[in-house]
């Protein structure tokens, strides 16, 4: 019997429908939201969800190393900060062109990720968490020391980035769709990456690094590659964030912000990619709603997240799968 | 004469005061099936770890096909054709059996880490992976997650993974341990069918399997080699009988 007939005879099980459809449904609903504002939803929602989608790009990038690669980075906000400051400093210096700013930001993020990742990846587990936290704090203090660019107080931007001189970020709905397009592109990229040969090795190494090593792969090398890609993606989100808020400050890269990103990923369900998007949306919307309701929203929000994660195990994506399982079974 | 597939020269390793590898000299010819036996805790697994590179020896040298690999990291040894299995089976539990094997094929392809193309649908990887699964009789289970396979199937899967590495030497750490009689017989038949294609170092407690398969046998006790040679000669060695085999052999 030849291998070919065997492989044809034993069909590969299809991907569960949820995994194929969930991201399409999420992105589709997001694409329709501006219509809802036309029908009376407060315009404030457009701004809020734009911000949430920008954070979703960062959460997605974190899920790539945390969920897929098994590396709990506690300094991921540093990349958002580098992206935001990159945009902010260039705009302050009169350089608003996106085609200049974005390549520069991605390059700096890649370099920062390569250096800090190389050092961090010599450690494992809690030590990795601590050392990425330390690098994040280094970036934070560096931004605080940038007195020419606002130092501790942050930097207000009086212009936005432009594309070939056109003010693409000026219009709120336009910005919304740019954020959505960026998110959709990053999701597609991450999904391809995870399914690729590179991604297969990254996934396998999360489960059993020794097996992957004796199969002939340099696990640290692969993880570093993922770390660099992830850092660049988070830098892209920082670039958008600076353009949305017209302001950058060291708080963009505080350790609390890094912690929030981990929350978003865990909230949505680790490793599923679309879970990170849902987690970021849920986090930012809940934060907005609760903070309008009470000043002590953080005291409510923290325990809520812990309870939610404990009871769903697998975050929102896990909960959906479970609910569907109950309905089907 | 051709270079030995593997040569150990005065290999030594201690865990604190415990000498687990005590000046081991060993040579395996290309295509030879060499059995390594010894009581529990003799240091067999530790020796396999040092040969595959997952542990560093304190002193001595490891030559692979005549090349000194003592300081080469494990992934480079694997790429040079040194494959291994584990005493406690080691697979990627959530990946299918086919993907586990394809991971090995991929490691030896021209682009082991390419981005973008869907690896699961890559025929350049899957075709050789199917062949390896067929060689060990696992095609029926190709799409089952490795974690859901029976113990014997996992052992076979590890051998299939080793086969994809274009091996010159495979280290097998107790491939029959914990496997039922029927599956054990199948694995012995499999190893017999593979004999001669590459060298093998077989660590095994099952003496009937050892004497059925091995070209030569080395006996390890307290980290040191007490006998090495033809199976019949080793079996008759009084030191071996006393130290290890007891009266039963
Ligand atoms: N990482 C370690 N640190 C300290 N001691 C160890 C370590 N690994 C193994 N040992 C000890 O080294 C000795 C040899 O262990 P090893 O696993 O190599 O024996 P073995 O011959 O494979 O035994 P078995 O037949 O039970 O598999 C044992 O006494 C073991 O307890
Ligand atoms: Mg052992």
């Amino acid at each position: 019997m030849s291998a070919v007939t065997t492989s044809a005879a034993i069909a590969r099980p299809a991907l569960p429908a949820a995994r194929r459809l969930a991201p399409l449904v999420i992105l589709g609903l997001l694409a329709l939201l501006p219509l809802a504002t036309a029908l009376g939803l407060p315009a404030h929602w457009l701004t809020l969800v734009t911000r949430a989608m920008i954070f979703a790009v960062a959460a997605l990038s974190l899920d790539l190393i945390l969920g897929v690669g098994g590396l709990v980075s506690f300094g991921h906000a540093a990349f958002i900060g580098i992206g935001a400051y990159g945009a902010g400093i260039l705009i302050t210096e009169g350089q608003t062109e996106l085609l200049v700013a974005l390549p520069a930001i991605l390059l700096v993020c890649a370099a920062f990720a390569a250096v800090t990742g190389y050092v961090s990846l010599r450690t494992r587990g809690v030590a990795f968490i601590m050392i990425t936290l330390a690098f994040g704090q280094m970036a934070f203090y560096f931004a605080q020391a940038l007195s020419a660019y606002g130092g501790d107080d942050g930097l207000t931007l009086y212009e936005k980035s432009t594309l070939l001189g056109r003010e693409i970020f000026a219009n709120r709905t336009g910005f919304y769709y740019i954020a959505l397009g960026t998110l959709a592109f990053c999701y597609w990229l991450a999904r391809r990456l995870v399914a690729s040969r590179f991604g297969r090795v990254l996934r396998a190494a999360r489960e059993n690094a020794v097996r992957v090593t004796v199969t002939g792969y340099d696990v640290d090398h692969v993880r570093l590659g993922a770390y660099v890609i992830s850092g660049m993606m988070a830098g892209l989100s920082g670039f958008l964030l600076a353009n949305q808020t017209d302001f950058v400050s060291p708080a963009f890269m505080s350790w609390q912000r890094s912690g929030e990103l981990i929350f978003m990923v865990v909230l949505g369900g680790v490793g599923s990619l679309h879970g990170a998007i849902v987690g970021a949306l849920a986090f930012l919307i809940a934060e907005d709603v609760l903070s309008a309701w009470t000043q002590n929203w953080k005291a409510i929000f923290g325990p809520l997240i812990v309870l939610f994660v404990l009871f769903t195990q697998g975050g929102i994506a896990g909960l959906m799968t479970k609910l569907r399982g109950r309905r089907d079974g | 004469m051709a270079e030995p597939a593997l040569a150990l020269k005065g290999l030594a390793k201690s865990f604190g005061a415990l000498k687990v590898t005590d000046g081991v000299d060993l040579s395996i010819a290309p295509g030879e099936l060499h059995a390594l036996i010894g009581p529990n805790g003799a240091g067999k697994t530790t020796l396999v770890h040092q040969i595959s590179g997952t542990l560093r020896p304190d002193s001595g040298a490891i030559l692979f096909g005549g090349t000194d690999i003592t300081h080469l990291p494990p992934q480079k040894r694997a790429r040079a054709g040194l494959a291994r299995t584990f005493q406690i089976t080691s697979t990627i539990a959530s990946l299918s059996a086919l993907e586990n094997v394809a991971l090995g094929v991929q490691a030896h392809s021209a682009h082991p880490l390419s981005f973008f193309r869907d690896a699961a649908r890559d025929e350049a990887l899957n075709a050789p992976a199917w062949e390896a699964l067929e060689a060990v009789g696992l095609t029926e289970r190709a799409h089952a997650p490795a974690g859901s396979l029976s113990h014997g199937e996992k052992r076979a899967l590890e051998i299939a993974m080793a086969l994809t590495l274009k091996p010159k030497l495979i280290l097998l750490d107790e491939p029959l341990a914990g496997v039922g009689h029927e599956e054990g017989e199948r694995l012995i038949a499999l190893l017999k069918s593979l004999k001669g294609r590459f060298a093998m170092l077989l660590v095994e407690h099952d003496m009937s399997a050892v004497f059925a398969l091995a070209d030569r046998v080395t006996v390890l006790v307290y980290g040191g080699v007490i006998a090495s040679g033809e199976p019949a000669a080793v079996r008759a060695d009084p030191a071996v009988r006393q130290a290890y085999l007891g009266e039963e052999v």
Side-chain angles (χ1 to χ4, degrees):
Chain A
M1 189 165 45
S2 88
V4 178
T5 54
T6 318
S7 69
I10 301 165
R12 181 155 41 131
L15 209 62
R19 223 175 148 78
R20 277 178 293 133
L21 292 182
L24 290 179
V25 171
I26 295 162
L27 294 172
L29 286 176
L30 285 171
L32 293 177
L33 187 89
L35 286 182
T37 57
L39 296 174
L41 186 76
H44 153 72
W45 274 84
L46 216 51
T47 309
L48 172 62
V49 177
T50 302
R51 182 178 165 83
M53 289 191 295
I54 292 171
F55 275 97
V57 171
L60 183 65
S61 76
L62 180 61
D63 197 25
L64 211 50
I65 51 172
L66 190 155
V68 180
L71 304 168
V72 182
S73 163
F74 211 131
H76 212 56
F79 296 104
I80 299 183
I82 292 172
Y85 268 91
I89 290 171
L90 285 171
I91 288 170
T92 305
E93 298 300 334
Q95 176 56 267
T96 61
E97 180 51 50
L98 181 152
L99 294 180
V100 174
L102 211 47
I105 286 167
L106 295 180
L107 212 65
V108 175
C109 282
F112 185 74
V115 173
T116 62
Y118 181 81
V119 177
S120 307
L121 283 168
R122 327 222 116 216
T123 65
R124 294 278 170 274
V126 176
F128 182 84
I129 298 177
M130 298 316 283
I131 198 160
T132 49
L133 173 65
F135 278 124
Q137 288 303 94
M138 256 174 55
F140 175 81
Y141 290 121
F142 182 78
Q144 270 194 334
L146 278 180
S147 50
Y149 299 104
D152 218 357
D153 300 327
L155 178 64
T156 302
L157 309 179
Y158 298 99
E159 275 182 281
K160 290 180 190 285
S161 296
T162 55
L163 176 61
L164 299 171
R166 288 180 29 222
E167 300 186 346
I168 54 167
F169 292 124
N171 174 291
R172 182 149 56 175
T173 309
F175 202 145
Y176 181 93
Y177 280 110
I178 290 174
L180 176 59
T182 306
L183 178 59
F185 172 73
C186 288
Y187 175 76
W188 173 81
L189 199 73
R191 192 69 183 261
R192 294 292 301 265
L193 209 64
V194 169
S196 74
R197 293 180 177 198
F198 175 87
R200 174 189 267 166
V201 179
L202 185 65
R203 282 179 283 141
R206 179 195 63 218
E207 274 188 57
N208 190 341
V210 174
R211 168 41 85 190
V212 174
T213 303
V214 301
T215 304
Y217 298 98
D218 187 336
V219 167
D220 283 345
H221 180 88
V222 174
R223 287 177 171 159
L224 185 59
Y227 198 76
V228 169
I229 294 167
S230 169
M232 290 166 76
M233 202 181 274
L236 175 60
S237 111
F239 168 80
L240 290 178
L241 192 64
N243 274 292
Q244 197 203 16
T245 55
D246 296 316
F247 176 70
V248 297
S249 90
F252 280 33
M253 27 184 145
S254 67
W255 67 266
Q256 288 95 332
R257 184 49 68 68
S258 292
E260 284 173 10
L261 287 173
I262 296 177
F263 263 156
M264 292 174 202
V265 173
V266 174
L267 185 64
V270 164
S272 69
L273 297 181
H274 68 265
I277 299 176
V278 177
L281 293 171
F283 185 98
L284 278 128
I285 292 171
E287 182 186 63
D288 186 77
V289 170
L290 287 176
S291 62
W293 185 44
T294 161
Q295 283 206 321
N296 302 321
W297 61 274
K298 275 187 177 159
I300 303 172
F301 199 35
L304 260 184
I305 291 175
V306 173
L307 285 177
F308 186 84
V309 170
L310 279 180
F311 281 102
T312 57
Q313 292 191 358
I316 296 171
L319 185 65
M320 301 293 274
T321 314
K322 240 175 264 176
L323 289 178
R324 210 176 14 258
R326 196 163 302 164
R327 203 190 52 205
D328 294 348
Chain B
M1 210 183 94
E3 290 280 0
L6 179 76
L8 306 181
K9 306 230 185 272
L11 210 64
K13 170 137 196 106
S14 301
F15 288 123
L18 181 70
K19 274 192 180 169
V20 276
T21 307
D22 193 1
V24 169
D25 291 302
L26 185 75
S27 175
I28 304 179
E32 172 184 341
L33 197 157
H34 194 111
L36 180 66
I37 64 173
N40 289 114
K44 305 179 296 292
T45 296
T46 309
L47 194 63
V48 167
H49 279 315
Q50 291 170 79
I51 300 169
S52 73
T54 44
L55 267 181
R56 298 238 144 174
D58 297 335
S59 61
I62 304 166
L63 303 179
F64 181 57
T67 314
D68 189 335
I69 59 164
T70 317
H71 301 290
L72 216 57
Q75 65 270 17
K76 291 203 174 144
R77 299 184 196 197
R79 261 178 262 148
L82 205 173
R84 72 167 289 186
T85 69
F86 288 79
Q87 182 169 356
I88 298 164
T89 53
S90 175
T91 59
I92 315 296
S94 77
L95 295 188
S96 70
L98 183 68
E99 277 202 272
N100 269 272
V101 181
L103 191 67
V105 179
Q106 189 180 314
H108 288 258
S109 68
H111 303 285
L113 293 177
S114 67
F115 297 139
F116 288 117
R117 216 141 43 92
D118 189 344
R121 295 172 183 281
D122 194 334
E123 270 313 302
L125 301 179
N126 286 344
W130 277 105
E131 269 171 43
L133 282 182
E134 190 155 355
V136 304
L138 269 185
T139 45
E140 298 290 319
R141 308 287 278 143
H143 294 301
S148 74
L149 300 181
S150 79
H151 201 65
E153 286 171 339
K154 281 184 193 159
R155 297 265 187 223
L157 178 60
E158 279 203 83
I159 294 172
M161 294 174 81
L163 291 179
T164 62
L165 300 188
K166 303 193 176 129
K168 297 192 182 78
L169 169 68
I170 301 186
L171 312 170
L172 299 150
D173 197 353
E174 302 201 23
L176 303 175
V179 172
H181 181 72
E182 213 170 296
E183 280 185 319
E185 291 297 320
R186 220 174 299 147
L187 285 169
I188 291 173
L190 169 62
L191 293 180
K192 205 169 239 167
S193 75
L194 296 174
K195 254 186 87 165
R197 284 170 52 185
F198 33 74
M200 286 184 259
L201 179 68
L202 172 69
V203 176
E204 193 46 68
H205 282 295
D206 182 336
M207 287 307 138
S208 63
V210 166
F211 289 111
L213 289 167
D215 300 312
R216 285 199 302 152
V217 179
T218 290
V219 185
L220 202 67
V221 176
Y222 293 123
V225 173
I226 63 161
S228 188
E230 305 274 320
V234 169
R235 198 203 294 247
D237 190 311
V240 174
R241 297 185 77 92
Q242 196 196 345
Y244 174 59
L245 294 173
E247 297 312 309
E248 59 196 283
V249 177

